[in-house]
Amino acid sequence: MSRFTSPDFLRQAGGKHVRAKPPPPVNLARASITRLHSFHLKGKDHFAVDRELATQAERTAPGFVDIVLGERAFLQRAVRHLAADLGIHQFLQVGAGMPAPGDPHEIAHESNPEARVVYASDDPVVLTHHLALIRDGRTTTAVPGGLDDASGLLHNPESHRFLDLDQPVGLLLTGVVSHTTDATAAARSIAALRDSLAPGSHMVLSHYCRPDPARYPKDALRAEQLQHLFTDRLGHGYWRTEKEISAFFEGWESVPPGLLQAQKWRTLPVAPPVFGSYQMPHRNRQLIIGGMGRI
């Protein structure tokens, strides 16, 4: 393949196999949280600056990758519960990362091959990758936008085509609220999304957690050091207290087992291995929590 030829996954995009736009330029001087997660998920979409940040995070909190994998397993278990147990078959993931095995549409399609998933991201590279993998245009799509533009996300023509807002929606907010600088603004955006969704809709939210230093001094110190590292290198990445995180669920009815360590939320046995069965080692379990709410 010459340097002027697009790879197949870009060239054969969409149902009509039209040529996709090439990825936008990438700033290689600054790490990206989506590329950092791609590295931890053993993807290929990361660069030296991202791997350097991964090394620094590992030095700060040995086993930092546990947090990434544990949060993703929590998301997978939550989507399976929504689709298989609660019958929800349309989802909006805000702050989607690079495509990877075990993404929400794969989990939802286990119980309903017609389940629809809208991936939203304000990262143009992430959007390009998701759009390049869309084949039928019926069950998955990707739209631009982030948590700070709740109205724009739901009124995007493509979102409007995919999501019936008169029916319950699974709102997926894993790995995104931790990277909002203004917690009050994030809470307002979540409330705006909630007010636009039908009764029976559910929200899945996870967040980096800063444990009580009186009870968990070593964990609290690691959280503080990680936050300093992330805000310095990424410009965002906040380890908030459980009380601060619970405020994002205002207006939502808590779904058992409530807001707790992501590892403890509807844990699955290790065998047989399925998406969501990853179990975090104990060392960093205090640093990531999650829960589900409904309206």
Side-chain angles (χ1 to χ4, degrees):
M1 181 178 70
S2 78
R3 61 190 292 263
F4 302 105
T5 304
S6 296
D8 287 344
F9 87 98
L10 287 177
R11 188 172 65 250
Q12 296 183 352
K16 296 182 180 179
H17 298 297
V18 296
R19 186 183 183 89
K21 294 181 181 179
V26 176
N27 180 2
L28 299 183
R30 193 174 186 88
S32 157
I33 188 61
T34 55
R35 298 197 308 263
L36 178 69
H37 284 183
S38 176
F39 171 76
H40 285 128
L41 296 175
K42 301 189 184 302
K44 60 181 178 56
D45 301 298
H46 47 80
F47 301 98
V49 66
D50 309 300
R51 295 188 288 273
E52 180 186 352
L53 176 56
T55 299
Q56 291 179 316
E58 180 68 24
R59 289 173 181 163
T60 302
F64 176 79
V65 65
D66 305 339
I67 299 174
V68 178
L69 297 179
E71 184 173 47
R72 184 164 177 81
F74 162 74
L75 169 64
Q76 292 167 336
R77 295 193 300 271
V79 171
R80 183 177 290 113
H81 177 56
L82 291 175
D85 302 330
L86 303 182
I88 292 179
H89 298 306
Q90 51 178 1
F91 299 86
L92 170 63
Q93 184 181 26
V94 182
M98 294 289 188
D103 275 346
H105 71 278
E106 290 189 41
I107 307 299
H109 289 169
E110 291 174 355
S111 57
N112 182 357
E114 298 301 314
R116 299 183 303 278
V117 179
V118 176
Y119 294 105
S121 175
D122 53 13
D123 185 331
V125 176
V126 170
L127 282 177
T128 298
H129 280 261
H130 275 286
L131 290 171
L133 294 174
I134 293 173
R135 288 293 182 260
D136 58 21
R138 293 187 305 105
T139 59
T140 59
T141 192
V143 299
L147 187 59
D148 58 349
D149 184 22
S151 177
L153 283 177
L154 292 176
H155 292 94
N156 179 287
E158 187 70 354
S159 299
H160 208 57
R161 181 173 75 89
F162 261 67
L163 301 177
D164 180 357
L165 296 184
D166 292 326
Q167 299 296 321
V169 172
L171 175 63
L172 311 177
L173 301 179
T174 57
V176 61
V177 186
S178 300
H179 297 279
T180 56
T181 303
D182 188 333
T184 301
R188 284 198 300 265
S189 294
I190 293 172
L193 287 168
R194 182 195 66 225
D195 292 344
S196 299
L197 300 179
S201 295
H202 286 63
M203 175 181 71
V204 177
L205 186 149
S206 59
H207 201 295
Y208 299 149
C209 182
R210 184 193 298 265
D212 179 358
R215 296 182 61 191
Y216 306 104
K218 292 182 179 179
D219 295 298
L221 178 61
R222 284 201 302 274
E224 181 180 354
Q225 293 172 332
L226 282 169
Q227 177 169 304
H228 178 75
L229 172 64
F230 272 51
T231 53
D232 180 59
R233 296 296 305 276
L234 296 172
H236 48 75
Y238 298 89
W239 271 255
R240 296 184 169 108
T241 66
E242 183 175 342
K243 182 178 180 180
E244 290 172 321
I245 297 167
S246 66
F248 296 122
F249 286 87
E250 183 176 350
W252 300 81
E253 179 186 352
S254 179
V255 174
L259 179 64
L260 72 172
Q261 291 179 24
Q263 172 56 43
K264 293 183 177 181
W265 199 92
R266 300 181 67 87
T267 304
L268 293 173
V270 176
V274 297
F275 291 130
S277 62
Y278 172 81
Q279 295 195 13
M280 295 180 65
H282 286 275
R283 55 188 172 185
N284 287 319
R285 288 186 181 183
Q286 297 286 348
L287 302 186
I288 182 75
I289 66 175
M292 180 182 291
R294 63 185 168 212
I295 52 176

